[in-house]
Amino acid sequence: MNLLVEVHAGLERQGPGSTETTLKALGFIDGIERISKVADLGCGTGPQTMVLASRLAATVVGLDMFPAFIDVLTASARARGVADRVKGVVGLMDDLPFDRESLDLIWSEGAIDSIGFKRGLAHWHGFLKRGGYVAATCPSWLTDERPAVIERFWLDAGSRLDPVERNIEAMQQCGYAFVASFALSEACWTDNYFAPREAALEGLLKKYPGDGAVEAFVAENRREVDLYARYRRHYGYVFYIGRKI
Ligand code: SAM
């Protein structure tokens, strides 16, 4: 199993976020009682999938590329007694396995940047019903000053940061009416993600003493924490909510 999956499969979440943030984003969506089919893309082990399932009387499909994450999601849907309407699917966000115009809501936390914000929104558009909603978090620049070290870090991780206004424009160009955006709190990163991940990284170091690949992986994760501590004013995850027109 790769190290990323090994560290993250046992965590409650695989990226910055919180239950309150998911509920806040859901609050921007009209007519939630009419929503019958939801896809949660890049769901990981499904922290937000379960929040959506608890608030919506809908079928919620969590999709992720890693089977180990989907196994956790499936087990937790069973444990919560919602397995009849919460399903896990192994798949790719840029090659969705849904019927066209079949979804009322596409959700995605911490994942769209890996396929590109605009590219993801453009692909997903065809799977939403007209009037359906998209709600996705994406790491974004929050200030005009954009430290090169942060830009490099995210590019090396396979993502790029754009300013909020540019992402809103991209959303509109992809055929959505812009509904709302807001930045996630620092606690979503530090308390809810970095702290539990650090405990898992300590466990990894103990499990594989002297393993250079593990040490390099841990060092890179710690570098992310250090960069966030120093530069967090300039960037963060932003929730973007739009409606298909
Ligand atoms: N949504 C979860 C959360 O907030 O805790 C997971 C976020 S994690 C930062 C990003 C997730 O996206 C991972 O679970 C990863 O496996 C998934 N992912 C990345 N690229 C993907 C792709 N092209 N197709 C499907 N899943 C992908």
Side-chain angles (χ1 to χ4, degrees):
M1 209 192 289
N2 82 38
L3 292 172
L4 183 139
V5 174
E6 181 165 352
V7 163
H8 285 87
L11 299 183
E12 194 182 321
R13 55 186 333 119
Q14 289 72 46
S18 69
T19 297
E20 297 71 33
T21 305
T22 301
L23 292 175
K24 179 173 174 180
L26 199 54
F28 288 104
I29 293 172
D30 282 337
I32 60 168
E33 63 290 346
R34 291 191 296 276
I35 291 177
S36 68
K37 186 153 186 198
V38 182
D40 178 14
L41 307 180
C43 61
T45 61
Q48 68 291 306
T49 324
M50 293 306 165
V51 175
L52 296 173
S54 73
R55 289 301 164 108
L56 303 173
T59 299
V60 185
V61 178
L63 177 143
D64 201 279
M65 66 197 285
F66 289 122
F69 293 166
I70 292 300
D71 288 347
V72 176
L73 168 71
T74 303
S76 87
R78 275 201 206 104
R80 290 162 196 243
V82 291
D84 56 327
R85 62 185 185 86
V86 177
K87 308 280 179 200
V89 171
V90 177
L92 293 174
M93 292 188 296
D94 49 359
D95 187 17
L96 294 183
F98 305 109
D99 290 335
R100 300 199 66 79
E101 308 217 332
S102 64
L103 302 171
D104 300 290
L105 172 62
I106 292 181
W107 205 267
S108 185
E109 295 195 28
I112 193 171
D113 53 301
S114 65
I115 59 168
F117 186 71
K118 191 170 183 182
R119 186 166 158 252
L121 288 183
H123 178 60
W124 300 352
H125 190 265
F127 297 90
L128 277 175
K129 297 175 188 169
R130 186 182 286 255
Y133 282 84
V134 68
T137 67
C138 189
S140 310
W141 290 119
L142 303 177
T143 59
D144 289 338
E145 193 189 334
R146 293 163 196 163
V149 64
I150 298 301
E151 181 149 46
R152 186 76 260 156
F153 179 85
W154 284 86
L155 282 174
D156 289 346
S159 286
R160 65 175 249 165
L161 303 185
D162 277 317
V164 174
E165 319 77 71
R166 191 171 309 155
N167 282 333
I168 292 172
E169 258 171 51
M171 177 174 254
Q172 291 165 332
Q173 286 163 1
C174 289
Y176 302 89
F178 169 68
V179 174
S181 70
F182 64 92
L184 273 62
S185 70
E186 288 177 22
C188 287
W189 293 71
T190 52
D191 301 357
N192 299 355
Y193 179 51
F194 288 156
R197 186 180 72 180
E198 176 56 27
L201 292 171
E202 285 291 348
L204 201 67
L205 287 170
K206 287 203 182 84
K207 186 172 168 190
Y208 303 105
D211 184 316
V214 169
E215 285 169 3
F217 176 78
V218 170
E220 190 58 6
N221 277 267
R222 287 179 174 165
R223 185 160 171 265
E224 182 190 11
V225 176
D226 178 52
L227 288 175
Y228 184 72
R230 282 192 282 150
Y231 295 102
R232 64 188 185 280
R233 193 167 74 75
H234 301 292
Y235 70 104
Y237 272 95
V238 171
F239 234 122
Y240 297 91
I241 298 118
R243 198 179 64 253
K244 176 171 172 170
I245 43 180

